[in-house]
Amino acid sequence: MPDLRDATAKVDLFTFQRAKSLQQYCGDMYYYLEKDHQFLCVLADGLGSGHEAHKSALAAIEVIRSAPEEDLLTLMDRANQAVASLRGAAIAIIRADLDKARITYSGMGNIRFFLIGQDGKLVYPLSTTGYLSGRRQRFSIKNFHYQPGTKFLMHSDGLVLDHVKCYLESPLCVVKTGHQIEQTIQAIPSDDVTFLLGKFPNI
């Protein structure tokens, strides 16, 4: 994926992806965009693995990429419609207001998102159960503030990580912390694995 942030990007970001059994196609896809003090980040996990899972995840991502300025409920609905004739996908979307240290979150399925909240506690909003399928869905939105300068982690269910808070509170930079997480992943994983580790700026 190309880096879609400009040279003045405030969010440090480390991304990792490895396909199940090192297949040609990964069933996970991601997209991010930093613009006008807003940071949008999306991770989609197509059901199953291989080419069909890849097509589902790609369809969800592409429709969001085409209109990133839309509100999250609209983006979720667009992604849901995009996979109507495909296998389906889990998805999570965040939009961060970098000036106000505020997050808006929506998700469906087994994508996980973590960061440190204003009170220093680990925040991990729960997604709606189910998956994008094209059928009519009811999506929810969660809003909360984060601790400026905190790291955050978004990952597909192929990553199984203990002690998440330790990584988010690590004094190491995003790249070094990302490599630490990478070392916990099998060389030939039994599922598609994708994670995005970032650090929000201090205000």
Side-chain angles (χ1 to χ4, degrees):
M1 286 278 184
D3 192 330
L4 301 175
R5 299 164 300 157
D6 61 30
T8 62
K10 296 181 178 181
V11 178
D12 292 330
L13 195 64
F14 178 95
T15 64
F16 174 90
Q17 186 168 80
R18 186 173 292 165
K20 176 182 178 180
S21 303
L22 305 184
Q23 297 179 79
Q24 179 181 359
Y25 292 98
C26 182
D28 300 340
M29 294 290 291
Y30 61 87
Y31 167 74
Y32 55 85
L33 175 67
E34 183 177 331
K35 185 178 180 181
D36 300 330
H37 306 283
Q38 302 280 319
F39 177 73
L40 179 72
C41 186
V42 188
L43 176 56
D45 179 354
L47 298 189
S49 61
H51 191 214
E52 294 304 312
H54 174 82
K55 286 169 59 178
S56 291
L58 179 61
I61 292 295
E62 286 298 319
V63 76
I64 292 173
R65 188 201 302 267
S66 70
E69 72 286 348
E70 297 280 6
D71 64 86
L72 262 58
L73 287 179
T74 300
L75 292 179
M76 291 288 286
D77 188 58
R78 285 177 178 268
N80 187 46
Q81 295 176 35
V83 303
S85 61
L86 303 172
R87 186 180 288 180
I91 193 169
I93 310 175
I94 65 163
R95 177 173 279 123
D97 184 324
L98 303 180
D99 290 333
K100 298 179 180 178
R102 184 173 61 196
I103 290 277
T104 303
Y105 172 92
S106 187
M108 174 164 274
N110 52 15
I111 308 296
R112 298 288 180 263
F113 176 72
F114 302 90
L115 56 66
I116 305 299
Q118 277 189 319
D119 57 2
K121 295 181 179 180
L122 187 65
V123 174
Y124 44 98
L126 298 179
S127 296
T128 305
T129 57
Y131 58 91
L132 303 180
S133 63
R135 296 188 299 271
R136 186 174 181 179
Q137 306 275 12
R138 179 176 294 180
F139 304 112
S140 65
I141 292 290
K142 295 179 175 64
N143 295 283
F144 48 89
H145 286 83
Y146 61 84
Q147 191 174 87
T150 187
K151 293 187 181 77
F152 66 88
L153 175 67
M154 181 184 284
H155 68 84
S156 63
D157 65 343
L159 176 65
V160 179
L161 190 67
D162 296 325
H163 310 299
V164 170
K165 190 176 182 182
C166 292
Y167 292 100
L168 298 183
E169 292 183 331
S170 170
L172 297 177
C173 70
V174 166
V175 171
K176 290 182 179 179
T177 305
H179 284 312
Q180 286 186 330
I181 296 174
E182 182 179 346
Q183 290 171 9
T184 71
I185 299 169
Q186 295 177 325
I188 304 178
S190 58
D191 195 3
D192 296 319
V193 184
T194 301
F195 74 84
L196 298 94
L197 177 74
K199 183 178 181 181
F200 290 123
N202 289 300
I203 296 177

